[in-house]
Amino acid sequence: GAVVSQHPSRVICKSGTSVKIECRSLDFQATTMFWYRQFPKKSLMLMATSNEGSKATYEQGVEKDKFLINHASLTLSTLTVTSAHPEDSSFYICSAQGPVTYNEQFFGPGTRLTVL
Amino acid sequence: GESVGLHLPTLSVQEGDNSIINCAYSNSASDYFIWYKQESGKGPQFIIDIRSNMDKRQGQRVTVLLNKTVKHLSLQIAATQPGDSAVYFCAENIWSSGNTPLVFGKGTRLSVIA
């Protein structure tokens, strides 16, 4: 099956700093990537949809200036949490989809962000 | 639909017994459904999917049942094993709409008692 990686797997940062999370499709071209966040014992909540070469589409309530998404290539999307605060601490998960995957989305292993 | 503000329901099952995990979906236009397994600290793992032109699909030790009339989906796990302990999510989508995001259900925590 298609493989999606995320880096880093865990990150701890100080309040006010910015953190970049990478999502890579390793063996297929991902025309679309999705970013989710997940709080403990909760379901996945969609943050934004990112199509390669286009601006991301953000879900209602998600600040686009705080969560910067870049999808500059068919194998890489990045999520930058700017001026992170403790309430941004969460598990961030990406998924990727492409022409060869049809409608199936493949998920990355997630990134645990802790903001002190 | 999306999960809001509730702790995950938990299903405890004796090892070797069958498990049934249920999910109600919200969008009557959804025609593609997927079950995911998520272990602690990991991303969701695909288990099985079903299109709306079917009401049952079987995989290895797993069966998904779809009842479009009442918008209900279930996952049956046969001979449940300790390694099946995880959180299980259903997700819905509209197949014909192309690259649209999945909508996840609330999730159910399955605990297998050895």
Side-chain angles (χ1 to χ4, degrees):
Chain A
V3 179
V4 176
S5 70
Q6 280 184 242
H7 177 81
S9 57
R10 288 178 175 270
V11 56
I12 300 173
C13 69
K14 292 182 179 179
S15 188
T17 61
S18 295
V19 174
K20 181 185 284 189
I21 301 170
E22 294 184 348
C23 176
R24 292 182 185 274
S25 57
L26 299 184
D27 50 3
F28 69 101
Q29 293 185 330
T31 48
T32 303
M33 288 185 171
F34 303 95
W35 286 96
Y36 298 83
R37 67 189 297 183
Q38 184 178 32
F39 292 108
K41 299 184 180 179
K42 297 293 193 293
S43 189
L44 282 75
M45 301 288 286
L46 180 69
M47 298 176 67
T49 301
S50 169
N51 291 302
E52 186 268 336
S54 303
K55 289 185 179 180
T57 302
Y58 290 81
E59 294 299 298
Q60 192 171 11
V62 178
E63 300 175 55
K64 61 179 182 180
D65 294 329
K66 181 168 183 62
F67 298 100
L68 302 178
I69 292 173
N70 184 287
H71 190 169
S73 80
L74 285 170
T75 58
L76 174 64
S77 176
T78 59
L79 167 67
T80 301
V81 183
T82 62
S83 187
H85 291 283
E87 58 265 30
D88 299 323
S89 298
S90 189
F91 193 52
Y92 292 86
I93 306 171
C94 71
S95 70
Q97 185 176 17
V100 298
T101 72
Y102 299 100
N103 275 14
E104 187 173 349
Q105 295 180 24
F106 292 87
F107 284 84
T111 296
R112 171 77 59 197
L113 170 64
T114 303
V115 185
L116 302 176
Chain B
E2 295 186 4
S3 169
V4 283
L6 297 174
H7 289 299
L8 294 171
T10 299
L11 174 67
S12 295
V13 175
Q14 202 73 34
E15 181 180 0
D17 287 352
N18 297 335
S19 303
I20 300 176
I21 300 170
N22 296 304
C23 176
Y25 63 93
S26 57
N27 188 353
S28 56
S30 294
D31 58 6
Y32 179 53
F33 306 90
I34 313 105
W35 279 101
Y36 289 94
K37 173 185 180 183
Q38 187 180 27
E39 296 175 281
S40 181
K42 298 184 179 179
Q45 176 187 355
F46 174 92
I47 301 174
I48 192 168
D49 60 359
I50 189 169
R51 298 277 300 272
S52 61
N53 60 349
M54 303 173 70
D55 53 21
K56 180 179 179 179
R57 191 166 186 222
Q58 289 184 288
Q60 188 176 18
R61 276 202 311 121
V62 294
T63 301
V64 55
L65 298 177
L66 174 63
N67 185 329
K68 296 181 288 294
T69 303
V70 295
K71 293 190 285 187
H72 184 268
L73 196 65
S74 69
L75 176 70
Q76 300 178 2
I77 304 174
T80 313
Q81 302 168 0
D84 294 327
S85 294
V87 177
Y88 290 81
F89 294 98
C90 66
E92 59 184 294
N93 198 352
I94 300 174
W95 179 270
S96 58
S97 62
N99 295 347
T100 54
L102 298 168
V103 176
F104 281 82
K106 295 178 184 177
T108 296
R109 180 177 300 282
L110 175 65
S111 293
V112 181
I113 305 165

